[in-house]
Amino acid sequence: MTTTTGPHPTRRLILQGAASVALIGLGNLPFAAAHAAANDKYPEEAFKQKSEADAIKALYGRNAEPSDKVKLDAPEIAENGGVVPVSVTTTLDKVTSISFLVAENPFALAASYKIADGTIPGVANRLKMAKSTKLVAIVEADGKLYSATKDVKVTVGGCGG
Amino acid sequence: MASSIRVRANANGDITEVQALIQHPMDTGLVKDSKGELIPAHFIQELKFECNGKDVFVANWGTAVSKDPYVKFSFKGAKKGDELKISWTDNKGASDTTTAKIA
């Protein structure tokens, strides 16, 4: 008996060991993905944050530093808050994402763009602004966050569409 | 139905400039209609531009993007005649796809 069952416990141990390693590996994945802005999932949580600081944290998991290499272009006075042309360009290298945040909006994060390798780091789009607000552009380059801000005066709010 | 996406992609040397205009209400979910009832949120969440099998540009949008959104960007590595595939999905699961030839 002992000779036939002898090898089994060790084999079982090895299998159990392998299984638990696999489980630990799976368990870690969601946490690793939660903060990565470069992953493929829609950042639902970040878009639900009300303040721009919380939104940046939810999207990137760290803070941005102001940089003059990020150029944010927006009108000083927007006549229609429903359609405000906003664009960002940067001279930074290895840009992986660009995000726009409108501080006074009900939800601060407006748009986040993933910039692939070979894509020029610059975006132009149109955003809604509920009232006069601080506008923040975040550029993620080489793993670091850089920001530019601009104040926009809105004469008619963007909530009415 | 005509596509909700209008795209213009022009190659100038190595750089292709892309402009896209999409027809979408982009409702925030905060606005009331004439009867005083809230219009539920309805907005595009993801917009993807694909060229030669590679995602060149992906947009994640919230409700603060204007109605009938417009976006402009440029990328390298494509030439005239290449196909650019554009697709979006919104928070209600609707989607649309179109392809454009780079001119």
Side-chain angles (χ1 to χ4, degrees), chain B residues 6-98:
Chain B
R6 279 168 59 200
V7 197
R8 185 180 295 168
N10 290 320
N12 191 355
D14 190 34
I15 294 173
T16 304
E17 186 185 85
V18 183
Q19 292 186 75
L21 194 59
I22 301 160
Q23 271 183 8
H24 200 281
M26 297 300 281
D27 288 317
T28 60
L30 307 165
V31 183
K32 285 174 183 157
D33 63 12
S34 53
K35 287 180 203 142
E37 283 165 28
L38 275 181
I39 303 167
H42 187 201
F43 59 98
I44 293 175
Q45 288 188 314
E46 193 178 71
L47 170 70
K48 228 184 231 184
F49 293 82
E50 206 182 312
C51 187
N52 298 330
K54 186 185 153 196
D55 286 348
V56 289
F57 190 78
V58 180
N60 284 318
W61 280 346
T63 52
V65 173
S66 298
K67 182 186 172 204
D68 298 337
Y70 163 85
V71 68
K72 178 176 145 183
F73 72 97
S74 304
F75 70 99
K76 288 182 192 169
K79 54 186 187 305
K80 279 185 206 301
D82 282 356
E83 278 205 340
L84 185 70
K85 188 180 159 201
I86 303 102
S87 55
W88 60 256
T89 45
D90 67 21
N91 65 323
K92 291 184 176 176
S95 63
D96 198 5
T97 307
T98 194

Side-chain angles (χ1 to χ4, degrees), chain A residues 92-107:
Chain A
L92 291 161
D93 271 340
K94 294 184 191 167
V95 173
T96 48
S97 80
I98 295 177
S99 299
F100 293 95
L101 298 107
V102 183
E104 296 291 335
N105 269 9
F107 305 100

